[in-house]
Amino acid sequence: MHTVEATDRLLRDYASAPQATLDGEVLETFLNLVEERMGATPAVSSFLQGLERTATV
């Protein structure tokens, strides 16, 4: 089974309120895909966030 199909099935059948946090640099196209499939924009963090004066992701 392709991973997209498995993820769709998991979210559809077993997750009532899915949430996701992505770490690091994330492509805009991937963020759009996750938002489309989950219905919400995931949080994005960086491992180094907080070590710099201005955290950028």
Side-chain angles (χ1 to χ4, degrees):
M1 180 183 300
H2 194 273
T3 58
V4 172
E5 294 169 357
T7 302
D8 283 344
R9 181 180 292 171
L10 175 67
L11 293 175
R12 181 187 65 237
D13 296 345
Y14 300 104
S16 59
Q19 295 180 353
T21 301
L22 304 174
D23 186 57
E25 294 181 25
V26 182
L27 294 174
E28 187 70 28
T29 53
F30 183 71
L31 281 174
N32 293 338
L33 176 66
V34 171
E35 182 175 357
E36 177 185 313
R37 297 192 185 256
M38 291 181 55
T41 303
V44 179
S45 65
S46 171
F47 178 75
L48 299 176
Q49 191 172 10
L51 297 177
E52 303 170 355
R53 287 188 182 267
T54 303
T56 58
V57 178

